[in-house]
């Protein structure tokens, strides 16, 4: 990127390149700290209006935004494809998924977040109690480039439905997508700054973390996530961390091998493997290992990375090519068998599908996020062994299990934010289910009721309805009350065991 301007200068611009061809496909300003602060200040003012609309009023405008995105989906898909290099049909698919979540957030916000009565306890019987979930005001969303519609909208839709305004910092690789989404929102709100996009690089994101936002919703790599947390710590700004993964697919002895192979290929190679929930490791029961490999290779041989209409697009981020090459070369140097692709698969911006076996469990290709179209397949003697190996990494984002019987029992023992049985990534596409990780994959949730609550704080309110028969919080509390409470406590809590 071009050098950063001082705040006194006119904004500096940066170019966006089509990763497949290198052609310039866009030019956007780099927002510095002053520009970010100004966007947040506008969002604070707009938040008053947005909040006053109430759940129903916001849902109406979010529905209109959804219709606006739907009508413009072909154009939006072209922006996504131009900036990421992914096939246009994949770009369309992520828009469809994002629309489903947007609809769910708008429809369910009041049910999940609205005020509700809560029963008091015996000692607080004199109070009427209620709970509601209130918006922070302004939420900052920092997004990645790999699914530049689906991923940021998972935070943006839920934050907006909860009553926040949003300042969005898209990846420097996909700023046009962020600008398109905000412009579509402007068309339904008459340009009120409910959703603003600030373009720029990592420093723009850091400025957003240090601004007066009430929360940061971050999606990106674990390493950047740590920097985001450090910046947010300066103001004690809460953060949602949707970070990287090293997801595995497990194949039990009774699995449908054709379906498992199909899911493994799509899960591992779609979007050129640049998927947080992408399949990077496969553990196969020894009884079906050879048969599974045959199914996998039969299907993989016809897949090609290249310019459209190839099934697999380019690697979007040039520096990721070195990571993919290192993982393959390291595995081969440590004795891996190359069944498809291999070190020569990395050519220019494209990586041909690569399938490796006999890779040591501590190799980079098994423990680090590769983010390329590579699969490491390992034979296991039992599903217990598979579970142990899956759980051995620091990451814990998602997992896929293929088993005709006992899939739930396997899923329950996996340390992951979500597991899909007999399908790849289904749990991320069901709007009512939460999505997120544990360990190095982050914390907090998008989607579902948890995804709405993520962008709110819980507010408790009580109202005394009548004088308490047992006044506790007063200096007027007498010896009789103390004795009565002591007896009550003994009866309520001391009779166990
Ligand atoms: P990065 O971590 O490189 O960047 C993510 C975002 O953070 C970008 O907008 C980036 O801006 C911004 N950023 C960079 N530095 C800073 C900083 N110091 N302060 C604030 N913001 C900063 O991730 P990628 O964009 O490469 O995305 C790929 C990663 O995202 C993978 O690890 C993937 O697993 C993960 N991911 C996780 C998902 C989940 O749901 N858990 C979903 C999708 C992806 P810029 O690009 O301009 O540098």
């Amino acid at each position: 990127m071009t050098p950063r301007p001082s705040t006194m200068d006119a904004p500096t611009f940066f170019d966006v390149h089509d990763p497949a061809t290198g052609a310039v496909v866009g030019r956007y300003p780099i927002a510095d700290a002053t520009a970010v602060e100004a966007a947040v200040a506008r969002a604070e003012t707009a938040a008053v209006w947005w909040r006053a609309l109430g759940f129903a009023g916001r849902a109406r405008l979010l529905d209109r935004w959804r219709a606006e995105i739907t009508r413009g989906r072909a154009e939006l898909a072209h922006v996504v494809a131009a900036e990421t290099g992914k096939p246009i049909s994949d770009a369309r698919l992520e828009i469809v998924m994002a629309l489903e979540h947007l609809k769910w957030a708008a429809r369910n916000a009041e049910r999940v977040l609205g005020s509700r009565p809560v029963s008091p306890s015996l000692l607080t019987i004199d109070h009427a109690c209620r709970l509601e979930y209130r918006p922070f005001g302004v939420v900052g969303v920092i997004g990645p480039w790999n699914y530049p519609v689906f991923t940021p909208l998972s935070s943006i839709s839920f934050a907006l439905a909860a009553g926040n305004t949003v300042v969005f910092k898209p990846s420097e690789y996909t700023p046009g997508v962020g600008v398109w989404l905000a412009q579509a929102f402007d068309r339904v709100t008459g340009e009120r700054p409910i959703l603003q996009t600030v373009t720029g690089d990592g420093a723009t994101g850091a400025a957003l973390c240090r601004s007066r936002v009430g929360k940061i919703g971050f999606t990106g790599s674990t390493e950047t996530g740590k920097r985001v947390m450090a910046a947010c710590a300066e103001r004690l700004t809460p953060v949602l961390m949707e970070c990287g993964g090293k997801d595995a697919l497990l194949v039990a002895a009774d699995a449908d091998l054709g379906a498992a192979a199909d899911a493994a290929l799509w899960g591992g190679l779609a979007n050129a493997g640049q998927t947080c929930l992408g399949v990077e490791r496969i553990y196969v029961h020894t009884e079906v290992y050879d048969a599974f490999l045959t199914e996998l290779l039969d299907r993989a041989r016809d897949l090609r990375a290249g310019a459209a209409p190839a099934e697999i697009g380019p690697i979007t981020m040039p520096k990721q090519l070195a990571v993919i090459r290192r993982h393959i070369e390291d595995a081969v140097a440590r004795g891996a068998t190359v069944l498809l692709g291999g070190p020569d698969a990395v050519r220019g911006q494209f990586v041909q599908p690569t399938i490796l076996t006999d890779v040591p469990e501590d190799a980079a290709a098994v423990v680090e996020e590769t983010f390329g179209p590579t699969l490491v397949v390992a034979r296991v003697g039992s599903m217990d062994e598979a579970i142990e190996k899956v759980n051995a990494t620091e990451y814990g984002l998602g997992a896929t299990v293929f088993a005709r019987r006992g899939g739930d029992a396997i899923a329950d023992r996996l340390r992951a934010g979500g597991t899909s049985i007999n399908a790849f990534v289904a749990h991320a596409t069901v709007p009512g289910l939460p999505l997120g990780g544990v360990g190095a994959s982050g914390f907090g949730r998008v989607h579902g009721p948890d995804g709405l609550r993520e962008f709110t704080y819980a507010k408790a309110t009580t109202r005394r309805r009548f004088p308490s028969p047992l006044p506790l919080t007063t200096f007027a509390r007498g010896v009789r009350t103390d004795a009565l409470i002591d007896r009550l406590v003994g009866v309520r809590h001391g009779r166990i065991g």
Side-chain angles (χ1 to χ4, degrees):
M1 294 193 67
T2 31
R4 297 194 60 70
S6 87
T7 55
M8 302 301 290
D9 294 338
T12 304
F13 290 80
F14 66 102
D15 289 338
V16 183
H17 300 268
D18 179 330
T21 63
V24 174
V25 293
R27 196 170 165 73
Y28 296 89
I30 302 177
D32 63 9
T34 306
V36 170
E37 285 290 355
V40 172
R42 285 193 296 275
E44 279 172 340
T45 307
V48 177
W49 179 80
W50 184 240
R51 187 157 174 219
L53 286 180
F55 290 108
R58 288 194 295 270
R60 264 195 302 280
L61 289 179
L62 289 172
D63 282 350
R64 284 177 54 198
W65 185 40
R66 179 159 54 87
E68 197 66 36
I69 297 171
T70 306
R71 283 191 289 269
R73 65 191 184 282
E75 184 184 76
L76 178 58
H78 270 100
V79 181
V80 172
E83 292 190 334
T84 64
K86 72 172 71 179
I88 202 93
S89 68
D90 288 357
R92 280 174 166 269
L93 188 62
E94 74 162 288
I95 294 169
V96 172
M97 302 320 301
L99 291 170
E100 291 292 314
H101 289 289
L102 172 54
K103 179 176 179 180
W104 193 94
R107 292 287 152 90
N108 289 278
E110 182 159 22
R111 179 181 63 79
V112 175
L113 306 175
S115 179
R116 86 245 5 231
V118 173
S119 297
S121 65
L122 185 66
L123 293 182
T124 57
I125 195 80
D126 50 325
H127 295 278
C129 312
R130 67 187 156 86
L131 164 68
E132 65 178 320
Y133 292 90
R134 293 192 158 192
F136 288 105
V138 184
V139 165
V141 173
I142 299 175
W145 48 265
N146 59 340
Y147 290 90
V149 176
F150 179 79
T151 296
L153 277 193
S154 294
S155 290
I156 293 170
S157 304
F158 287 72
L160 289 171
N164 304 282
T165 52
V166 171
V167 178
F168 172 38
K169 150 68 180 78
S171 164
E172 67 192 74
Y173 293 97
T174 53
V177 176
V179 168
W180 193 100
L181 290 168
Q183 285 175 347
F185 207 103
D186 285 350
R187 291 196 287 278
V188 304
T189 56
E191 301 199 2
R192 280 182 198 268
I194 307 300
L195 169 61
Q196 298 172 79
T197 290
V198 288
T199 55
D201 55 10
T204 305
L208 189 57
C209 295
R210 293 194 168 91
S211 72
R212 290 193 313 272
V213 292
K215 181 154 188 168
I216 286 286
F218 170 80
T219 308
S221 64
T222 304
E223 283 316 306
T224 306
K226 291 175 189 173
R227 287 198 286 278
V228 165
M229 281 186 74
C232 286
E234 293 171 17
R235 282 178 180 265
L236 217 60
T237 302
V239 289
L240 157 71
M241 284 282 135
E242 292 286 341
C243 300
K246 190 71 188 174
D247 286 4
L249 182 145
L250 298 81
V251 185
D254 67 346
D256 176 339
L257 299 184
D262 193 60
L265 283 184
W266 172 261
L269 310 184
N271 205 30
Q274 304 166 114
T275 304
C276 52
L277 290 151
V279 175
E280 300 211 354
R281 307 177 284 157
I282 305 175
Y283 294 98
V284 190
H285 196 284
T286 185
E287 284 175 21
V288 292
Y289 181 76
D290 294 329
F292 173 78
L293 276 184
T294 304
E295 295 274 358
L296 190 69
L297 287 166
D298 279 353
R299 288 168 169 78
R301 281 197 188 94
D302 292 337
L303 297 174
R304 281 283 163 275
E311 297 86 357
I312 300 172
I315 299 303
T316 305
M317 216 173 32
K319 69 177 185 217
Q320 197 64 26
L321 288 158
V323 175
I324 300 166
R325 186 180 290 112
R326 174 169 64 80
H327 285 195
I328 299 173
E329 286 176 352
D330 170 69
V332 170
R334 298 185 63 185
T337 305
V338 177
L339 298 183
L340 194 69
D344 294 341
V346 185
R347 262 172 275 138
Q349 274 301 117
F350 296 96
V351 178
Q352 298 305 324
T354 290
I355 299 178
L356 306 171
T357 58
D358 308 314
V359 182
E361 281 296 305
D362 62 348
V366 177
V367 296
E368 295 174 24
E369 189 177 50
T370 306
F371 235 50
T374 63
L375 290 169
V376 174
V377 191
R379 182 197 294 270
V380 287
S382 66
M383 295 320 284
D384 286 344
E385 184 187 342
I387 292 164
E388 195 181 313
K389 287 180 167 163
V390 170
N391 288 343
T393 69
E394 290 185 349
Y395 292 108
L397 193 52
T400 308
V401 175
F402 271 84
R404 283 201 168 87
R405 284 176 306 277
D408 284 283
I410 296 169
D412 290 349
R413 291 170 60 199
L414 295 174
R415 180 178 164 273
T419 305
S420 298
I421 302 168
N422 294 335
F424 167 67
V425 96
H427 69 275
T429 62
V430 177
L433 283 176
L435 175 66
V438 293
S441 293
F443 50 83
R445 293 293 180 264
V446 294
H447 301 173
D450 298 276
L452 283 166
R453 284 189 208 106
E454 193 69 42
F455 295 104
T456 63
Y457 63 94
K459 173 100 194 286
T461 305
T462 63
R463 179 175 47 79
R464 174 165 275 165
R465 295 181 300 164
F466 51 81
S468 171
L470 279 176
L472 303 180
T473 52
T474 166
F475 288 116
R477 194 179 67 231
V479 180
R480 260 190 69 235
T481 304
D482 281 349
L484 197 60
I485 289 170
D486 196 54
R487 273 208 305 281
L488 207 59
V489 162
V491 172
R492 276 173 67 75
H493 304 296
R495 289 180 163 179
I496 303 158

